Amino acid sequence: LTGKTAIVTGASSGVGLATSLQYVASGLTQLVAVDLAPPPPPLQKLLDERPDRVAFVRGDVGSDDTARRFAAVALERSGRI
């Protein structure tokens, strides 16, 4: 996954959290995690340890504003979506 960027919704729990953690462990270059809930401890640890590779956008993925924000973060961090 080197050189790849992923936007993961529902990243604070369940499949979204597991996917986020696995992507980073597999060498994903940029992860933008999105959820309405705050990041749980395992995701917060990644945010603290790897701020160069992991970003978190808090918001409702059904909202146009949230979609614009996570797309902008992904574009800013990786130069593409």
Side-chain angles (χ1 to χ4, degrees), residues 8-50:
V8 178
T9 61
S12 289
S13 64
V15 172
L17 175 59
T19 300
S20 296
L21 299 175
Q22 185 59 48
Y23 275 173
V24 173
S26 296
L28 185 76
T29 300
Q30 287 294 322
L31 170 69
V32 180
V34 184
D35 206 313
L36 193 55
L43 186 54
Q44 186 60 58
K45 182 177 180 193
L46 286 178
L47 289 162
D48 293 341
E49 292 176 353
R50 299 307 311 254

Side-chain angles (χ1 to χ4, degrees), residues 59-75:
D60 178 359
V61 296
S63 158
D64 288 345
D65 177 60
T66 300
R68 282 187 200 89
R69 287 188 294 129
F70 70 68
V73 169
L75 186 59

